[in-house]
Amino acid sequence: AFFEPVQAVRVTTLASAAMNDSRGMRGLTLALSLGSLCTWAVDGKALRTELVLAHYAEDLSWVSRYTGKENIDVTVYSKADDIPEVAGALVLPLANFGRESHTYLHHIVHNYDNLADWSVFSQATTPGWGYLIGGSNNGHLNDKVSFDDYVRPFPEGRDSFFVINSASQFPRAAQLNRHGIIVQGLPEEGPEMCPKQGADGWTDWWFLPDHPHLNGGDMLEFY
């Protein structure tokens, strides 16, 4: 069966969403990708976009493609021993605790009253297509999905944009992946939240005993 009873499931997705409150529109985006950028406006108001990166040891040279852009700020939270310098970006140290989700939540909590109109949350690895177990250059983008799909605020009037590409079962540490994140050129793949062909667009559940996320012995503890 595609779905099985589990104690917990972690879903991996690159996503865009906006929040409304009494102070107006707030944008939240989770994205791992590259692309051209422009200045957007809603009702004549230019929107401020912020790229929020969770860094440890990744090469940050690609960030220069986004620094110095009008209405785009870049914030890097680094958990490295030696905090890098990135021209045109705000680099802030964080204790090496938790994973990228910890970094994202830290940013939201500490900037809740001053969030950008649209925020892009990403690991600091150079964004790009695909996922390879244990690889250092995984961009985590689904096939036929671009950076612009996540960065452009309120695409076609929508207040969210999600492309789910994998899921994990805890504490079993079983995983499955969307076909478009491991194979390119499939005609049915695209920027939809879930595969067009439903359950047939996913791999079977799989388990790898020497998966790097199991090095500590407990995948749930790792995350």
Side-chain angles (χ1 to χ4, degrees), residues 174-186:
Q175 301 185 53
L176 57 72
N177 300 99
R178 184 172 178 153
H179 290 165
I181 201 173
I182 56 177
V183 179
Q184 286 184 294
L186 298 175

Side-chain angles (χ1 to χ4, degrees), residues 150-181:
Y150 296 98
V151 174
R152 182 166 59 93
F154 313 107
E156 299 176 358
R158 293 174 292 169
D159 62 0
S160 65
F161 182 82
F162 292 82
V163 181
I164 300 173
N165 55 43
S166 65
S168 302
Q169 293 182 352
F170 300 108
R172 291 174 52 190
Q175 301 185 53
L176 57 72
N177 300 99
R178 184 172 178 153
H179 290 165
I181 201 173

Side-chain angles (χ1 to χ4, degrees), residues 92-176:
L92 301 171
L94 272 185
N96 189 12
F97 176 84
R99 288 181 55 79
E100 67 273 15
S101 53
H102 165 263
T103 299
Y104 306 156
L105 183 59
H106 174 91
H107 178 83
I108 294 170
V109 169
H110 289 270
N111 297 276
Y112 186 78
D113 291 321
N114 192 38
L115 291 170
D117 298 301
W118 201 256
S119 299
V120 181
F121 293 89
S122 173
Q123 294 178 338
T125 300
T126 304
W129 168 80
Y131 172 71
L132 178 65
I133 298 172
S136 60
N137 296 316
N138 295 319
H140 292 79
L141 272 175
N142 193 57
D143 192 24
K144 302 176 185 175
V145 177
S146 72
F147 182 79
D148 286 346
D149 292 326
Y150 296 98
V151 174
R152 182 166 59 93
F154 313 107
E156 299 176 358
R158 293 174 292 169
D159 62 0
S160 65
F161 182 82
F162 292 82
V163 181
I164 300 173
N165 55 43
S166 65
S168 302
Q169 293 182 352
F170 300 108
R172 291 174 52 190
Q175 301 185 53
L176 57 72

Side-chain angles (χ1 to χ4, degrees), residues 19 29 44 56 81 90 96 113 119 162 174 182 187-188 213 220:
M19 296 188 302
T29 306
Y56 178 65
D81 294 330
L90 174 64
N96 189 12
D113 291 321
S119 299
F162 292 82
I182 56 177
E188 64 274 10
H213 293 180
L220 186 59

